[in-house]
Amino acid sequence: STFKMPGPASGIAIDPDCTTEFAKMKKDRAYRFLSFEILNPSDSKNPGPIVKNAHGTADQTWDDVVAYITENKNKPLYLFVDFPYNKNAIANSKLVFLAWCPDEATPKEKMLNASSKDDFAKKVGDSLPILTCTELSELDGQTMEAQVLKYSKA
C-alpha cells in the first residue's frame, strides 16, 4: 500500500503525487492548470483520496481552463491555475487555487469539497489565494482577473 499524506479536516487522504505535480508547476511553470478530484465521494465510510485527474500545458489559455471545467461542470474539482493577466501593460501570471463546486453536485460532494479545500490548498499549494466558484458565469476572464489582481503585488 502506498503512503498517503495525512488528509484534510474531512479525513480524506491526499495522494503524494499531488504535491509533486504542484512543485513542478510552481518551479518550472510546467502547467497552465492542474486539476484534482476526490475519488469515491459518495462512499460514506471511505471517500478519497484526493488525486490528480488532469493538467493543461503551459501554452494553454484561461479559455482552455474554462473549457476543461465546462466539460466536467457537474463534478467538484480543485484546480491550481497559473492565471495570466496584464497589469500596467505588462504580461504576468499568478498561481491561484480554484475550488469548483457546482450547484449540481450532491450534498455529500459539496460537504466534502468544502471541508477539504482549505487544508488541501495549504498542504499542497503553499497557501495560495483561494477562489471558489459554483457557476460557469463566475469563470468569466475579466471577473477572474479582477479577483486575481486583488492578490497581486503592484
Side-chain angles (χ1 to χ4, degrees), residues 25 29-35 52 54-61 64-65 68 79-80 82:
M25 180 181 195
R29 292 298 212 242
Y31 308 115
R32 175 63 59 204
F33 73 92
L34 287 171
S35 175
K52 176 185 161 196
H55 69 270
T57 57
D59 62 342
Q60 289 185 302
T61 65
D64 295 314
V65 178
Y68 172 77
L79 297 102
F80 291 108
D82 190 8

Side-chain angles (χ1 to χ4, degrees), residues 71-139:
E71 288 168 22
N72 295 279
K73 67 181 179 210
N74 294 329
K75 172 169 56 174
L77 299 168
Y78 299 132
L79 297 102
F80 291 108
V81 179
D82 190 8
F83 189 87
Y85 67 92
N86 287 298
K87 190 168 186 178
N88 302 325
I90 298 169
N92 210 332
S93 69
K94 173 87 177 155
L95 288 174
V96 295
F97 178 76
L98 174 62
W100 169 255
C101 193
D103 291 333
E104 294 80 10
T106 67
K108 171 88 176 168
E109 289 173 327
K110 290 177 184 178
M111 187 220 37
L112 285 172
N113 185 279
S115 64
S116 302
K117 78 173 178 189
D118 290 340
D119 275 355
F120 180 74
K122 284 180 193 145
K123 286 181 176 156
V124 177
D126 203 19
S127 299
L128 293 175
I130 298 174
L131 307 175
T132 303
C133 294
T134 60
E135 297 176 13
L136 291 172
S137 63
E138 295 174 298
L139 299 174

